[in-house]
Amino acid sequence: MTDMELQENNETILFILTTVMEIATLACAYLGLRLFKKNKWLRLALIVVPLVANAILYLIFETTPFFYLGVILLLCIPFVWPRKSA
């Protein structure tokens, strides 16, 4: 394979991962915020797992979409954090 083909494969993989993580981030943020009165640790895991995946992908590819998706999930954490009163 030539360098051009490897670069095209890398861009294709990046596009697919970005699209999948955008959909996963939006779905998990919605589900994590909307699962009222359910298992509080499941709600927190729905936010934290894609957050960690976005952080790892940001470190690998060093592109801003994964960073911004992580910021969206970080903003969701205070709303799903388990409290004793809940």
Side-chain angles (χ1 to χ4, degrees):
M1 294 180 88
T2 64
D3 289 337
M4 183 71 106
E5 291 174 344
L6 288 175
Q7 184 178 0
E8 289 176 5
N9 286 342
N10 191 25
E11 290 176 1
T12 303
I13 291 170
L14 179 62
F15 174 75
I16 291 171
L17 284 173
T18 304
T19 304
V20 167
M21 287 310 298
E22 286 174 352
I23 294 169
T25 297
L26 294 175
C28 288
Y30 178 78
L31 289 174
L33 293 172
R34 291 291 175 186
L35 288 175
F36 298 118
K37 304 290 182 186
K38 300 290 180 182
N39 187 352
K40 55 188 171 187
W41 296 110
L42 172 66
R43 292 175 54 205
L44 190 60
L46 277 172
I47 302 295
V48 172
V49 170
L51 175 64
V52 171
N54 280 321
I56 291 170
L57 290 172
Y58 175 69
L59 291 172
I60 292 172
F61 291 105
E62 297 178 356
T63 57
T64 57
F66 298 118
F67 174 76
Y68 291 125
L69 292 171
V71 169
I72 291 169
L73 291 170
L74 276 175
L75 291 173
C76 293
I77 286 180
F79 298 103
V80 298
W81 192 261
R83 289 177 272 173
K84 289 183 180 182
S85 63

